Amino acid sequence: MIQIDALPAFTDNYIWLLQDNASKRCAVVDPGDAAPVLAWLGNHPGWELSDILITHHHADHTGGVAELKDLTGAKVYGPANEKIPARDVALSDHDEVTVLGLTFAVHAVPGHTLGHIAFYHADPQTPLLFSGDTLFAAGCGRLFEGTPEQMHHSLSRLAELPDSTEVYCAHEYTLSNLRFAVAVEPENPDVTGRFEQVTRWREENRISLPSTLGLERKTNPFLRASQPSVKQKADERTGIDNASPVAVFAALRAWKDKF
Ligand code: ZN
Ligand code: FE
């Protein structure tokens, strides 16, 4: 049994901490800052950080890697096509890595950055997805390096994973993403209901993650570019007929950038 907890970092990042209670080994995903991880290790004597998984090169995901590697000797896994500090294992699409006894399939998901990868564990009961800054709860990452086509394709690939997949993304952006989702689909009760729920959670300072892929398919506008009402909203915004789901996606992403 692997327990997963969030270590908050900076203003809205989460460093995901995977714990194997039997062996007292743990792993982290995207440690942008070493301090929260070192604090946890300091409070948990006897635990060893064995592995570090990295989704992409941005500093808020990699800033703590070198220090953690230095202090713990943890093995660092990261995307092959990006510059990752202290990387031991370079990962490409369809590679597999085993961490704490869990096997993860690597999915190349370019868009936010060109080399961005996601980690998927196909557990029969509770599949796990570490999606970095690609798929967020109710949103998606900005297109810093890739094209709308690339990001749409990447998200479509993730959207094929099972409904029960738990989605662990790297930022607490859910509430602001849902504000946008409500603007796109004001008549969608799943969206408005989730907006109300996450509003309450955030008022109580509760984390909004993990999400599930089933919920994302129902409420994340960036996974819903093929819905007629979403296309209609995109057309209203742009004043043109966005004939393909990619064009709808691009219109949504541009709208959200200024929302
Ligand atoms: Zn990023
Ligand atoms: Fe980030």
Side-chain angles (χ1 to χ4, degrees):
M1 255 301 275
I2 299 294
Q3 185 184 330
I4 306 176
D5 289 304
L7 302 177
F10 310 117
T11 51
D12 51 35
N13 281 74
Y14 291 125
I15 300 166
W16 293 107
L17 173 73
L18 288 68
Q19 302 142 73
D20 177 21
N21 285 291
S23 67
K24 285 200 162 189
R25 284 184 310 139
C26 61
V28 288
V29 183
D30 285 354
D33 186 3
V37 182
L38 294 173
W40 189 92
L41 289 168
N43 289 328
H44 295 78
W47 280 75
E48 178 208 343
L49 179 69
S50 56
D51 302 276
I52 299 172
L53 302 179
I54 301 296
T55 62
H56 67 295
H57 67 85
H58 286 159
D60 63 312
H61 300 252
T62 59
V65 175
E67 188 180 353
L68 289 173
K69 167 91 184 164
D70 256 16
L71 292 172
T72 67
K75 197 166 176 178
V76 180
Y77 300 85
N81 295 330
E82 297 192 348
K83 197 165 165 270
I84 305 296
R87 186 186 56 208
D88 296 300
V89 182
L91 299 173
S92 302
D93 204 14
H94 304 299
D95 281 350
E96 284 193 347
V97 290
T98 301
V99 167
L100 305 177
L102 301 182
T103 298
F104 289 91
V106 173
H107 290 256
V109 284
H112 178 70
T113 65
L114 285 175
H116 199 304
I117 58 173
F119 295 90
Y120 175 67
H121 172 61
D123 189 274
Q125 252 121 51
T126 311
L128 307 173
L129 176 68
F130 293 92
S131 57
D133 286 357
T134 296
L135 176 63
F136 287 129
C140 74
R142 283 177 189 261
L143 302 180
F144 285 121
E145 298 177 11
T147 63
E149 286 78 5
Q150 284 175 316
M151 188 58 137
H152 181 259
H153 183 256
S154 296
L155 292 172
S156 303
R157 223 178 124 180
L158 297 182
E160 285 167 17
L161 299 173
D163 274 352
S164 57
T165 305
E166 290 185 337
V167 179
Y168 295 86
C169 57
H171 288 272
E172 180 62 67
Y173 289 160
T174 316
L175 189 55
S176 68
N177 286 339
L178 283 166
R179 259 182 222 116
F180 177 71
V182 170
V184 177
E185 293 190 89
E187 313 286 320
N188 179 336
D190 293 317
V191 171
T192 54
R194 190 180 187 191
F195 176 67
E196 283 162 27
Q197 179 181 55
V198 173
T199 298
R200 281 196 303 277
W201 285 352
R202 295 307 294 152
E203 280 167 1
E204 296 161 11
N205 228 349
R206 268 175 69 185
I207 185 170
S208 67
L209 304 172
S211 177
T212 65
L213 213 47
L215 183 59
E216 291 310 312
R217 266 196 291 271
K218 285 192 230 166
T219 60
N220 188 327
F222 297 101
L223 300 186
R224 298 173 57 77
S226 302
Q227 297 288 320
S229 71
V230 174
K231 175 198 182 303
Q232 196 188 326
K233 256 296 195 288
D235 290 355
E236 281 169 24
R237 285 292 303 182
T238 54
I240 57 163
D241 173 32
N242 294 287
S244 68
V246 171
V248 173
F249 172 81
L252 291 177
R253 190 55 262 181
W255 179 11
K256 176 68 164 64
D257 285 347
K258 295 187 184 138
F259 187 75

